[in-house]
Amino acid sequence: MLKSASLLALLSLVPAFVNAAQPLYAQCGGIGWSGDTSCVSGAVCTKLNDYYFQCLAGSAPSTSPPATSLPPTSVPPTPTTTGTNPTGTTTPVAGNPFTGYTIWLTPYYADEVKAAAGLISDATQKAKALKVADIPTFTWFDVVAKAPTLGTYLADASAKGKASGQKYLVQIVVYDLPDRDCAALASNGEFSIANDGLNKYYNYIDQLVAQIKKYPDVRVVAVIEPDSLANLVTNLNVAKCSGAQAAYKTGTIYALKQLNAVGVYMYLDAGHAGWLGWSANLSPAAQLYSQLYKDAGSPPFVRGLATNVANYNALTASSPDPITQGNSNYDEIHYINALAPALTSGGFPAHFIVDQGRSGVQNIRQEWGDWCNVKGAGFGARPTLNTGSSLIDAIVWIKPGGECDGTSNTSSPRYDAHCGLSDAAPNAPEAGTWFQAYFETLVKNANPAL
Ligand SMILES: *[C@@H]1O[C@H](CO)[C@@H](O)[C@H](O)[C@H]1NC(C)=O
């Protein structure tokens, strides 16, 4: 009774909002969306995936072409990129690519955070939440429709650099392989191998490269394809992963070569301690990374590996979490120290960046493999080059905290059972969309405190 009464009360409020266009970055469509599908002036409702349309700045092409437009042509042939990298040489700097650079703050995430802080009534928590807008995170290019925004971001970083005399660095995640997320469901991508996905992926990489070429004064650091190669180390028993193996390798090699040609410093994703850090997985992992690197022609801008992306492990745990079940590599520093020698002997550059964005609170999971919106997590160590290890270039925030890992809606086609576990936060929206309650917990539990 109470439920339907409050629903009626809510419905009676709806007409007041019907004509309000959605603000920049707000959702404006997708399966299950019943809100406004128009955007404020200057923003265009852009399809990111079937479940999420978002108001993005500028005049992005409409996803439904006008009736008078020509029929779509096939994917254009992939150009061979022969561009020079930002320094005009094929030689990366020696040492840590972050050194001497100011990390550019993404306005996309800052706006999400500011909007979220606006919904917090407690003044102390609101002030803490607002501080997150000033902490650099990576920007995920998880659909090709977002590629033009990279140009917008690089232009802004370039302008800020020229105005301040500082050198700017933009942090991106390359994340659009066909048959993506082959061992889970929550982050299934837009391209499928069966539907020409590899060619579409080449086009996605080409679009990123075209933007990067235009701003040679801005340094770009990229994390390459979270989870993909780690899935090839341990999940070839999953049909979708074994089916994707060749496309993942070919696609990754293409990405490494093309991004190398424009001087992007790259860290390949390497899972985390609880995945590739088991002793049986270390050597196969090192072999895969080394072989792929060689197959790509040993691109000099490949700097190393990224670990713990979007995960919750500590860099240095005060004691092993019981869920680590006797793995001697129970945190990221032990994993990195164990993996590095095998990489080095395979000829792979053993440098690392480590995501600590949501690692502030430890011993909150029921199993180490639990990855979805883990309850009780808090923002972790702030990004820094003072990492305490010569193997680690930087502690970074790669997963933008507050963006959802996956929906808890059991009826959704992208529902993954991990997102319905008792240690996963309930009422979670689709992956990548804003999860306000979760963000508020990350703020409250931040360690160090915000
Ligand atoms: C759950 O997903 C189904 C299928 O997409 C959808 O129809 C339904 O509205 C969703 N429920 C909620 C609460 O979002």
Side-chain angles (χ1 to χ4, degrees), residues 105-322:
L105 290 165
T106 161
Y108 180 93
Y109 184 61
D111 286 354
E112 283 183 324
V113 167
K114 286 174 194 162
L119 298 174
I120 299 175
S121 46
D122 180 274
T124 309
Q125 291 305 311
K126 185 196 287 276
K128 288 183 178 193
L130 278 172
K131 289 184 187 172
V132 177
D134 294 328
I135 300 170
T137 63
F138 280 63
T139 300
W140 292 57
F141 288 87
D142 53 351
V143 284
V144 67
K146 286 185 183 171
T149 62
L150 177 58
T152 315
Y153 298 160
L154 293 172
D156 186 54
S158 174
K160 286 196 164 79
K162 288 192 175 95
S164 65
Q166 291 172 329
K167 294 183 289 185
Y168 271 81
L169 183 155
V170 170
Q171 304 181 128
I172 67 170
V173 179
V174 174
Y175 188 53
D176 208 13
L177 276 173
D179 286 16
R180 193 176 73 195
D181 207 22
C182 65
L185 294 171
S187 296
N188 281 354
E190 60 182 341
F191 299 149
S192 75
I193 294 167
N195 188 20
D196 203 28
L198 193 53
N199 278 317
K200 289 175 182 171
Y201 185 70
Y202 296 159
N203 172 58
Y204 157 83
I205 294 293
D206 292 346
Q207 288 200 35
L208 295 179
V209 164
Q211 299 297 341
I212 292 164
K213 253 185 184 170
K214 288 194 269 180
Y215 302 96
D217 55 324
V218 179
R219 177 166 290 181
V220 179
V221 166
V223 167
I224 306 295
E225 296 293 344
D227 291 356
S228 58
L229 296 178
N231 271 321
L232 299 189
V233 176
T234 65
N235 287 325
L236 289 179
N237 58 324
V238 177
K240 189 177 171 190
C241 291
S242 57
Q245 183 174 18
Y248 277 15
K249 286 183 179 173
T250 309
T252 304
I253 288 168
Y254 186 84
L256 299 185
K257 285 182 167 173
Q258 302 304 311
L259 294 168
N260 181 74
V262 289
V264 173
Y265 290 84
M266 290 172 273
Y267 297 86
L268 280 71
D269 182 85
H272 61 92
W275 189 350
L276 302 183
W278 295 95
S279 59
N281 296 338
L282 287 166
S283 168
Q287 278 168 27
L288 177 65
Y289 290 108
S290 304
Q291 188 61 50
L292 196 95
Y293 176 71
K294 280 193 196 109
D295 291 346
S298 304
F301 283 88
V302 172
R303 172 72 181 168
L305 300 177
T307 80
N308 201 46
V309 175
N311 212 276
Y312 304 85
N313 296 338
L315 174 57
T316 309
S318 52
S319 63
D321 185 331

Side-chain angles (χ1 to χ4, degrees), residues 31 409 411-413:
I31 295 170
N409 179 352
S411 312
S412 167

Side-chain angles (χ1 to χ4, degrees), residues 96 98 101-106 109 131-138 169 171 315 353-359 379-388 392-401 447-448 450:
N96 187 345
F98 287 86
Y101 276 73
T102 301
I103 301 177
W104 179 80
L105 290 165
T106 161
Y109 184 61
K131 289 184 187 172
V132 177
D134 294 328
I135 300 170
T137 63
F138 280 63
L169 183 155
Q171 304 181 128
L315 174 57
I353 55 175
V354 184
D355 189 355
Q356 290 291 282
R358 302 192 299 182
S359 297
F379 282 117
R382 306 299 113 84
T384 179
L385 306 191
N386 295 323
T387 65
I392 304 175
D393 287 340
I395 290 170
V396 287
W397 286 17
I398 298 174
K399 170 78 185 183
N447 177 25
L450 285 159

Side-chain angles (χ1 to χ4, degrees), residues 46-88:
T46 306
K47 178 181 175 176
L48 301 186
N49 58 54
D50 289 345
Y51 300 94
Y52 199 65
F53 291 43
Q54 189 175 37
C55 294
L56 293 176
S59 51
S62 164
T63 50
S64 49
T68 53
S69 71
L70 295 168
T73 53
S74 58
V75 177
T78 304
T80 309
T81 304
T82 52
T84 55
N85 65 60
T87 58

Side-chain angles (χ1 to χ4, degrees), residues 427-439:
N427 304 318
E430 290 286 343
T433 65
W434 193 255
F435 191 0
Q436 179 72 16
Y438 199 73
F439 172 75

